[in-house]
Amino acid sequence: MEPLAKNYVGREYSMKKIGLIVNPIAGMGGSVGLKGTDGEIYKKALRLGAKAVTPKRTKELLSYIKSRKEISLVVAPGKMGETYVRKFDIAFKLIGQTPKETSAEDTKRIIGKMLNGGIELLVFVGGDGTARDVYDAVDSKIPVVAVPSGVKIFSSVFAVSARAAAEMVDAFIEGTDLTEEEVLDIDENAFRNNRLASKLYGYLIVPNVKKLLQAGKEASSIDKSSVDSKNEIARYIVKHMDKETLYLLGPGTTLKAIANDMGLPKTLLGVDAIYDNRLVGIDLNEKGILKLLKKYKSKKIMVTPIGGNGFIFGRGSKQFTPEVIRIIGRENIILVGTYGKISKLECLRVDTGNFEIDKLLSGYIRVVVGEKEEMVMEVRC
Amino acid sequence: MLNEIKLNMNEMPYPPPKEIIEAAQKGLSNLNRYTNPKELELLREFLADYSDVSKRHIILSTGSDFLLREIIHVFSKGRRVIMVNPSFFPTVQCAKEFATKLIKIQLRPSEFNLDADIITNETNEPSLVIVDNPNNPTGKILIDREMAEAILENKDVLLVVDEAYYEFSGATFADMVEKHPNLSVVRTLDKAFGLAGARIGYLIAGENFLDAFSTFFTFLPQSSLYAAIEAMRDPSYIKKNIELTIKERERVSKELEKIGFQVYPSTTNFLLIKTNIPDIARELKDREILVFDISNQWLPGYIRVSIGTPKENNIFLSNIKEIHKVHAWRGHKP
């Protein structure tokens, strides 16, 4: 039997059950210039005198949640949640065990228990690494709210601040709709060497409050939601698709919206192929793509840049190899993305591993961001 | 009245001279009447003289944003609208709504340059190019005369330059309007003249625009018209305010740089600031200081701060220093 906190008694009925998990070491590398705490680096951070960042962020989060009386938290003991929750008048229940030195496996294990316990929303405090762990454990089972607690946060799944995260929790309680946001896989070793090497890791479901999200902010409250924007792009693209042409659709939710608009399934992280409203390839690798390119005369690629860093080739869609891009040609690449995502990018990037192809892709290119709206972006390599 | 310090709308923090306020009050005594066309003509004459163009090119309106909306309504039909991103937000929203096709060219830090070749490439079809020069929010002059001449060479292109901050930048294309029928310049008395509450905008319209505006007649509000006429009768009062604003702009910029913020050179009455402190606009708002958070429409981490009075600027600086201290231990650089 899990211990039941004193202030939990009698308040469970009709409350939303929300999991809260804190990565106590996230963000510690920042103050001592280590850019992250993946692997063993956090021990070095400790030696250098780094202080924990997450307590302050977690307290901020809890102090700004307005719907405290309507939620009951499920938290891990000690520094992974309980320590901070005890200071607030919020009903909570403990679950799992927190070891002295926490790891990614602890995060995943405890989240698993929370899911079994029936949480409806998971709030986590951490960085990009924590988001990956949460994705591994949660996938798309329930929505999450991500509280940024790091120096550099690249995944668009994160709220802009702890306070914004609290507002997202309130919005969830009020019944806001949901959307999918990116989780990126950041190579911390590369980042320490001032190189941004990241790829799309997956998608988490979040309350659809765009202005509160890190890289998914829309132009204003009167702008369309991310979901509506993707659907608008999809309708426009489908309307203008050529007949007798092979379309290779890269990963991402915007491309999925395009396939869905045609009534076709689409793998979220894979490359799928469509020809005359028919699915002719699913989750293709380079070999599969090259085979299709031989078969069809007219062919185009549709891709969406990765949020935050703007990579269109070389990260997240490795299936589009230099050979594939060479055969397709620059003029047959269609770029799509919501204005909320594209306007946040300084430029688009390519890193195919082939300098010649990267050069070919460089320069200015248009991205479809709406039914009658395009953005001119610079592609850099 | 609110005690908020408003550094979010690029207003002139100093009120206009008492003669102008008295003129506005005089206008209020005629509230039961529409404005006198003769007085509207007088304002046009003053503005033509100030802009060094003939009166026939001057179109009056309640606010320059209204003129830009009208231009988009009338001239976007059969043309693509080309703008930069970011740009003056109400104009962008209007173009999003009414343009048949909107092409936005993304400006990127740290130079925010607008490549002449992109404009040339994008204007291979009939186009309406709208550029705020200097750009809001970067504060940078985006196009020079050579570039404007190159754009205007293409007769299928209409170029509209928003010179809301002309009095601060000193850069204008007004003198090119008589030579280039496909050029118009939009200006306002909201900023340097300190008449934001009066909402007087004017268009210096090239020949190709004039026909569309021939039936465009605006009865300005009485008090606004009287204030504007008085202001234009002797516009020399703006010089001192502009000098003080520019001096303050440079002081605020240096102070922010000392803390470690990245501040971009400006030719306007505002500064573009890059910060790694998340949600800084909201933290300032909590302290009753309003700044403009650009991350809602552009790259994350940028705020635009208007230059206020020295006292307002000092309050802003001391608060941003405090916020910086709070965030410093978390590892957030300014």
Side-chain angles (χ1 to χ4, degrees), chain A residues 5-8 11 18-22 54-63 65 68 71-95 114 123 125:
Chain A
K6 196 174 129 192
N7 56 356
Y8 186 80
R11 284 170 55 178
I18 296 176
L20 169 69
I21 193 145
V22 178
T54 45
K56 176 108 180 167
R57 284 299 170 102
T58 311
K59 283 174 201 161
E60 275 176 13
L61 165 83
L62 295 170
S63 66
I65 293 176
R68 281 185 228 170
I71 61 176
S72 67
L73 293 176
V74 180
V75 298
K79 59 192 176 182
M80 289 185 86
E82 179 196 6
T83 309
Y84 324 108
V85 176
R86 280 204 179 276
K87 291 169 185 160
F88 292 85
D89 181 25
I90 303 179
F92 71 94
K93 182 183 177 184
L94 297 178
I95 201 161
M114 287 176 173
V123 181
V125 187

Side-chain angles (χ1 to χ4, degrees), chain A residues 69-313:
Chain A
K69 305 285 178 199
E70 295 156 58
I71 61 176
S72 67
L73 293 176
V74 180
V75 298
K79 59 192 176 182
M80 289 185 86
E82 179 196 6
T83 309
Y84 324 108
V85 176
R86 280 204 179 276
K87 291 169 185 160
F88 292 85
D89 181 25
I90 303 179
F92 71 94
K93 182 183 177 184
L94 297 178
I95 201 161
Q97 287 180 326
T98 302
K100 197 176 170 199
E101 279 190 14
T102 60
S103 69
E105 288 315 309
D106 297 314
T107 303
K108 293 179 200 174
R109 177 178 48 78
I110 293 169
I111 292 173
K113 280 180 175 277
M114 287 176 173
L115 289 170
N116 290 337
I119 58 166
E120 295 164 75
L121 174 77
L122 176 73
V123 181
F124 70 92
V125 187
D128 284 309
T130 318
R132 287 198 308 270
D133 300 336
V134 170
Y135 172 76
D136 288 342
V138 175
D139 200 343
S140 56
K141 291 185 192 88
I142 56 164
V144 305
V145 168
V147 185
S149 178
V151 184
K152 294 278 183 189
I153 303 277
F154 291 97
S155 302
S156 65
V157 72
F158 282 95
V160 289
S161 64
R163 184 172 168 176
E167 288 179 33
M168 288 175 76
V169 172
D170 289 332
F172 173 78
I173 298 298
E174 284 167 21
T176 189
D177 59 339
L178 305 168
T179 187
E180 287 158 319
E181 289 293 337
E182 291 166 351
V183 175
L184 298 184
D185 186 11
I186 308 288
D187 181 342
E188 278 194 5
N189 285 324
F191 188 51
R192 278 183 203 102
N193 294 319
N194 291 318
R195 199 160 51 81
L196 183 58
S198 66
K199 63 183 181 193
L200 184 62
Y201 192 72
Y203 288 87
L204 281 167
I205 299 170
V206 297
N208 189 12
V209 193
K210 300 304 292 180
K211 66 185 171 123
L212 301 175
L213 283 164
Q214 177 122 318
K217 296 173 200 159
E218 294 289 337
S220 79
S221 56
I222 59 170
D223 265 335
K224 298 175 187 74
S225 73
S226 168
V227 176
D228 288 345
S229 297
K230 284 169 193 169
N231 289 339
E232 181 189 311
I233 292 167
R235 281 194 300 275
Y236 173 78
I237 291 289
V238 171
K239 195 175 161 189
H240 290 87
M241 279 171 94
D242 295 328
K243 284 186 177 169
E244 295 177 6
T245 300
L246 176 76
Y247 285 91
L248 294 163
L249 276 61
T253 48
T254 312
L255 279 306
K256 191 170 189 293
I258 291 170
N260 291 349
D261 192 79
M262 302 171 81
L264 299 172
K266 168 83 184 78
T267 57
L268 201 51
L269 298 176
V271 172
D272 300 343
I274 292 168
Y275 182 85
D276 279 353
N277 292 322
R278 281 183 299 116
L279 200 61
V280 293
I282 301 171
D283 206 4
L284 296 159
N285 56 19
E286 185 197 21
K287 200 175 159 190
I289 293 171
L290 289 172
K291 200 173 160 188
L292 287 172
L293 292 182
K294 270 186 193 164
K295 186 174 173 185
Y296 298 101
K297 195 178 168 192
S298 176
K299 42 236 171 188
K300 292 177 196 260
I301 284 178
M302 280 190 207
V303 280
T304 188
I306 293 178
N309 60 35
F311 274 102
I312 48 176
F313 293 113

Side-chain angles (χ1 to χ4, degrees), chain B residues 78-280:
Chain B
R79 290 184 182 89
R80 298 187 308 184
V81 177
I82 299 172
M83 301 180 75
V84 296
N85 192 61
S87 194
F88 182 49
F89 190 56
T91 316
V92 177
Q93 283 302 114
C94 180
K96 270 170 105 91
E97 200 170 337
F98 296 106
T100 320
K101 190 82 178 176
L102 174 62
I103 312 280
K104 290 197 282 193
I105 301 162
Q106 179 83 325
L107 295 178
R108 54 174 307 209
S110 58
E111 296 301 320
F112 308 115
N113 284 333
L114 179 59
D115 193 330
D117 291 342
I118 308 175
I119 294 274
T120 313
N121 290 341
E122 293 298 332
T123 49
N124 53 5
E125 287 178 32
S127 307
L128 170 63
V129 181
I130 303 174
V131 183
D132 41 1
N133 204 48
N135 172 251
N136 177 4
T138 63
K140 187 183 167 94
I141 293 282
L142 293 181
I143 55 173
D144 57 17
R145 296 177 80 84
E146 193 185 343
M147 197 167 157
E149 292 274 5
I151 296 168
L152 292 163
E153 252 179 45
N154 184 344
K155 301 302 171 204
D156 284 336
V157 174
L158 294 176
L159 174 63
V160 177
V161 184
D162 181 358
E163 292 185 356
Y165 302 94
Y166 151 65
E167 284 81 7
F168 297 97
S169 73
T172 182
F173 299 127
D175 59 308
M176 293 166 64
V177 164
E178 299 202 10
K179 184 185 165 194
H180 294 281
N182 50 344
L183 169 68
S184 276
V185 169
V186 185
R187 285 189 185 166
T188 180
L189 302 191
D190 289 7
K191 308 297 180 188
F193 285 85
L195 297 178
R199 302 291 288 128
I200 302 282
Y202 62 104
L203 181 70
I204 307 168
E207 202 65 40
N208 294 358
F209 294 82
L210 283 176
D211 267 358
F213 281 95
S214 62
T215 54
F216 184 86
F217 188 80
T218 310
F219 281 114
L220 299 175
Q222 290 280 15
S223 53
S224 299
L225 176 62
Y226 276 57
I229 289 172
E230 192 57 36
M232 297 316 297
R233 209 182 289 283
D234 181 12
S236 62
Y237 75 93
I238 67 170
K239 192 167 176 275
K240 190 179 146 203
N241 290 347
I242 292 168
E243 281 172 1
L244 187 52
T245 301
I246 290 173
K247 195 176 154 196
E248 275 296 287
R249 183 186 74 201
E250 297 312 302
R251 181 179 75 90
V252 172
S253 175
K254 279 190 186 122
E255 287 295 317
L256 289 168
E257 281 173 345
K258 268 189 220 166
I259 311 167
F261 285 94
Q262 188 169 1
V263 189
Y264 296 90
S266 171
T267 59
T268 62
N269 64 341
F270 58 81
L271 289 169
L272 180 71
I273 301 162
K274 169 101 171 77
T275 171
N276 289 313
I277 299 173
D279 243 358
I280 191 168

Side-chain angles (χ1 to χ4, degrees), chain A residues 6-72:
Chain A
K6 196 174 129 192
N7 56 356
Y8 186 80
V9 180
R11 284 170 55 178
E12 187 176 18
Y13 181 70
S14 84
M15 286 173 149
K16 292 270 184 191
K17 205 185 261 189
I18 296 176
L20 169 69
I21 193 145
V22 178
N23 175 357
I25 63 165
M28 284 176 71
S31 61
V32 289
L34 288 176
K35 300 178 180 173
T37 48
D38 278 4
E40 292 294 302
I41 289 295
Y42 96 94
K43 287 179 184 167
K44 188 179 174 184
L46 278 178
R47 285 199 301 276
L48 290 168
K51 289 177 184 167
V53 177
T54 45
K56 176 108 180 167
R57 284 299 170 102
T58 311
K59 283 174 201 161
E60 275 176 13
L61 165 83
L62 295 170
S63 66
Y64 281 117
I65 293 176
K66 288 181 187 154
S67 49
R68 281 185 228 170
K69 305 285 178 199
E70 295 156 58
I71 61 176
S72 67

